[in-house]
């Protein structure tokens, strides 16, 4: 029987999943994964930092916060043509979604037309578009949607009760508000968090509980493993047990059965075997390309070799209009990423 789409997960239920013997947890997650996806398909997104560093916020993990001395050079917003060149390269390398990130607390209204031009240009290349620009107003969310934006990334980052240990310059509620404006504007949501910041297992379950109990499950759920950047307050945090990371992926898959669960930051320092376990636990999306925003990601050749060794393939981008994640490729029904039909 298909697993229910629930928005009423209790913390103790999620913790009970975390507590299962790993083989049992992997089995349950793999079963849920197969109800909605082909487990051999992985959605592939490429990131570009279109405005780097100099951020006024104090997120304790972030190399782009102005107040920490991390060696990241602040830049102005990139030119549209430079962004489009990077997007063409990402498409040629096999990405289907292009995500543009800016180190802003929130965009100024006068930044929106510039970002809108980037979005329209990337969309015209036949890529899905995603942006992560900080907090948005309802009008800004609508303007981005009108420019052709498919997804907006805005993370909850951690459990509500651990959040105040990590960020002091904006509230959890601010994040929930931006996510509501994003949904109301008709954008798809990309929303996840970071593990390995010194949180407890209960708090990892709390992050997943907060994500799964949003009014709609995020379409994409990036699970980042902290990249410990020298100069940030979290630089010396102890490394999370890799199996605990796998458990987090598995519980995310079970709690949000139809979402793309993305193996996100932190892959560079993961072995191929750990990544394989994550795919078996239900991860079905990655960031692809040699750089995340400011930190390294695995070389494309390494990822291509890993996909070949594991028998994985990039998820095809299917234009369909049923909004249920199915479409047709060469006569076969496939589960796929959903983009608007060309005529919409
Ligand atoms: N400034 C915007 C914001 O915070 O919403 C957009 C960019 S911000 C860098 C996007 C996300 O990157 C953060 O929410 C966080 O989850 C992730 N991130 C940043 N630094 C990270 C790190 N060192 N390790 C893992 N994830 C990180
Ligand atoms: C997300 O959840 N992870 C990405 C993306 N959304 C924007 C960012 C990871 C950033 C890692 C640190 C860096 O490269 O600066
Ligand atoms: Fe700024 Fe975003 Fe980094 Fe926080 S995560 S310091 S808001 S760039």
């Amino acid at each position: 029987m298909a697993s229910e789409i629930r928005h009423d997960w209790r913390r103790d239920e999620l913790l009970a999943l975390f507590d299962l013997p790993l083989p049992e947890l992997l089995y349950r997650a793999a079963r849920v994964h197969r109800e909605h996806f082909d487990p051999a398909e992985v959605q592939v997104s490429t990131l570009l930092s279109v405005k780097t560093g100099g951020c006024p916020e104090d997120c304790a993990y972030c190399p782009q916060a102005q107040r920490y001395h991390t060696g990241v050079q602040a830049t102005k917003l990139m030119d549209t043509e430079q962004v489009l060149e990077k997007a063409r390269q990402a498409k040629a390398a096999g990405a289907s979604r292009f995500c543009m990130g800016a180190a802003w607390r929130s965009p100024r209204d006068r930044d929106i037309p510039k970002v809108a031009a980037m979005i329209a240009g990337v969309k015209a290349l036949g890529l899905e578009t995603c942006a992560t620009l900080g907090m948005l107003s309802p009008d800004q969310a609508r303007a981005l949607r009108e420019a052709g934006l498919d997804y907006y990334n805005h993370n909850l980052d951690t459990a509500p009760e651990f959040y105040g240990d990590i960020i002091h310059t904006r509230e959890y509620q601010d994040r929930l508000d931006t996510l509501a404006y994003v949904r109301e504007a008709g954008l798809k949501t990309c929303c996840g968090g970071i593990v390995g910041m010194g949180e407890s297992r209960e708090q990892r379950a709390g992050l997943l509980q907060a994500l799964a109990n949003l009014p709609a499950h995020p379409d994409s759920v990036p699970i980042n493993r902290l990249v410990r950047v020298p100069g940030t307050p979290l630089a010396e945090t102890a490394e999370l047990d890799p199996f605990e990371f796998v458990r987090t992926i598995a519980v995310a898959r079970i709690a949000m059965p139809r979402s793309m669960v993305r193996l996100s930051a932190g892959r560079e320092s993961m072995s191929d075997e750990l990544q394989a376990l994550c795919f078996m636990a239900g991860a079905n999306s990655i960031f692809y390309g040699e750089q995340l925003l400011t930190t390294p990601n695995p070389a494309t050749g390494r990822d291509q070799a890993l996909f070949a060794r594991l028998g994985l393939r990039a998820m095809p981008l299917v234009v369909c209009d049923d909004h249920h994640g199915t479409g047709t490729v060469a006569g076969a029904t496939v589960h796929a990423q959903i983009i608007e039909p060309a005529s919409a």
Side-chain angles (χ1 to χ4, degrees):
M1 206 176 67
S3 35
E4 234 184 305
I5 302 298
R6 292 180 48 188
H7 298 275
D8 61 352
W9 284 96
R10 295 191 321 270
R11 186 81 63 106
D12 62 300
E13 290 178 288
L14 294 169
L15 266 175
L17 292 171
F18 268 96
D19 287 343
L20 285 171
L22 188 64
E24 177 62 24
L25 175 57
L26 288 188
Y27 172 71
R28 292 199 197 180
R31 221 172 42 190
V32 172
H33 191 180
R34 278 153 187 74
E35 286 172 10
H36 300 286
F37 297 99
D38 177 341
E41 286 186 348
V42 177
Q43 187 277 330
V44 173
S45 292
T46 291
L47 273 172
L48 176 68
S49 180
V50 298
K51 194 268 167 235
T52 304
C55 184
E57 301 285 83
D58 76 344
C59 313
Y61 48 77
C62 187
Q64 301 199 71
Q66 168 96 64
R67 66 191 73 202
Y68 310 134
H69 300 284
T70 62
V72 168
Q73 291 297 315
T75 66
K76 291 200 295 210
L77 188 61
M78 281 172 76
D79 287 335
T80 302
E81 192 37 54
Q82 282 178 298
V83 173
L84 296 185
E85 186 46 37
K86 292 285 188 187
R88 282 184 208 104
Q89 289 167 10
K91 188 178 181 194
S96 60
R97 190 182 306 171
F98 192 70
C99 179
M100 293 158 273
W104 286 325
R105 169 179 164 81
S106 50
R108 298 168 301 188
D109 282 341
R110 68 171 189 266
D111 297 317
I112 296 292
K114 296 182 208 161
V115 178
M118 295 174 189
I119 291 166
V122 172
K123 182 105 174 150
L125 297 175
L127 286 159
E128 285 191 310
T129 54
C130 179
T132 182
L133 316 171
M135 293 183 283
L136 295 183
S137 69
D139 283 347
Q140 290 176 334
R142 279 192 289 271
L144 295 174
R145 177 74 191 117
E146 278 159 25
L149 190 65
D150 297 308
Y151 291 80
Y152 195 74
N153 166 247
H154 199 64
N155 291 336
L156 293 182
D157 275 347
T158 192
E161 71 275 18
F162 190 59
Y163 182 86
D165 287 23
I166 302 296
I167 298 159
H168 311 93
T169 48
R170 75 173 90 157
E171 304 292 323
Y172 214 73
Q173 187 59 45
D174 295 324
R175 292 179 183 260
L176 297 171
D177 290 347
T178 290
L179 289 166
Y181 305 148
V182 163
R183 284 192 306 270
E184 283 158 17
L187 289 159
K188 297 188 185 79
T189 53
C190 171
C191 181
I194 312 179
V195 294
M197 299 195 292
E199 73 287 339
S200 63
R201 175 178 278 187
E202 176 160 356
Q203 290 164 340
R204 283 185 283 281
L207 166 66
L208 298 181
Q209 183 188 21
L211 292 168
N213 293 347
L214 286 167
H217 289 176
D219 298 275
S220 290
V221 180
I223 305 291
N224 297 280
R225 183 169 81 164
L226 176 69
V227 180
R228 294 169 295 174
V229 179
T232 61
L234 297 185
E236 305 299 330
T237 310
E239 187 178 303
L240 184 69
D241 176 0
F243 295 123
E244 188 66 15
F245 186 78
V246 176
R247 286 179 187 276
T248 309
I249 296 274
V251 178
R253 167 54 62 217
I254 294 169
M256 293 168 279
R258 288 196 192 133
S259 304
M260 306 275 177
V261 175
R262 183 174 308 130
L263 187 49
S264 305
R267 248 175 8 93
E268 230 260 324
S269 60
M270 289 180 198
S271 68
D272 289 352
E273 294 85 346
L274 173 56
Q275 294 185 60
L277 269 178
C278 292
F279 293 125
M280 291 163 72
N284 65 344
S285 172
I286 58 164
F287 282 126
Y288 171 71
E290 313 211 337
Q291 172 112 331
L292 290 163
L293 292 173
T294 66
T295 64
N297 200 39
T300 50
R302 179 181 163 199
D303 280 342
Q304 286 165 2
L306 182 63
F307 272 37
R309 290 166 72 206
L310 301 182
L312 300 177
R313 50 186 191 273
M315 194 177 284
L317 189 55
V318 175
V319 178
C320 68
D321 55 10
D322 67 357
H323 283 256
H324 295 292
T326 54
T328 309
V329 174
T333 300
V334 295
H335 297 278
Q337 303 151 253
I338 309 163
I339 60 172
E340 298 301 320
S343 57

